[in-house]
Amino acid sequence: MPYIERSDCGKIVALHSESHHDGAEYLPSTHHEVIAFLDADCDQSEARQALKDSDAELARVAEDLIQVLVQKQVILFTDLPDAVQEKLVARQKLRSLLSTEDTSILSDDDMI
């Protein structure tokens, strides 16, 4: 391993454990081009994970923003689409299981 597949410009685009055609190019796994290809793939994986983590953080920011807007009566909780209301209430319930502090986005008078 590995047999390599190159693009038209000569850059490695895939690694294979077996030759897929006659004359397939073999490079040792320690070859600098193979290592660079694998490092680039790791960089993309790390970037994907960072983006995924950022999505979770941004979801919390959006949730907190909605809570502030409801508390300041800029918007009414009931003005949000039903699916959004359900998701926010579900997250509030989950969060209350993890915390003793009151994180309600509804006032005592609000109803769903």
Side-chain angles (χ1 to χ4, degrees):
M1 156 100 177
Y3 290 92
I4 63 167
E5 185 177 327
R6 292 188 184 270
S7 67
D8 292 338
C9 63
K11 186 175 179 181
I12 295 177
V13 294
L15 301 177
H16 303 282
S17 60
E18 298 176 358
S19 174
H20 283 78
H21 61 335
D22 290 337
E25 185 178 355
Y26 172 84
L27 288 177
S29 59
T30 56
H31 191 276
H32 67 87
E33 286 183 283
V34 173
I35 292 171
F37 176 79
L38 293 172
D39 282 346
D41 191 44
C42 288
D43 290 344
Q44 287 182 356
S45 294
E46 290 172 7
R48 280 189 205 98
Q49 185 60 46
L51 188 58
K52 192 175 188 179
D53 293 343
S54 173
D55 287 348
E57 293 167 0
L58 189 57
R60 179 58 196 260
V61 168
E63 186 180 342
D64 291 346
L65 176 62
I66 291 169
Q67 182 177 2
V68 168
L69 293 174
V70 168
Q71 287 174 346
K72 293 190 176 276
Q73 297 180 351
V74 174
I75 62 171
L76 296 173
F77 184 78
T78 53
D79 288 342
L80 299 170
D82 291 341
V84 173
Q85 290 180 36
E86 290 170 10
K87 286 179 173 122
L88 290 169
V89 169
R91 287 186 57 83
Q92 177 189 359
K93 288 178 182 176
L94 289 171
R95 203 173 310 289
S96 70
L97 291 173
L98 299 173
S99 173
T100 58
E101 66 186 57
D102 184 16
T103 59
S104 176
I105 59 174
L106 300 174
S107 72
D108 292 336
D109 298 332
D110 288 337
M111 295 180 65
I112 296 179

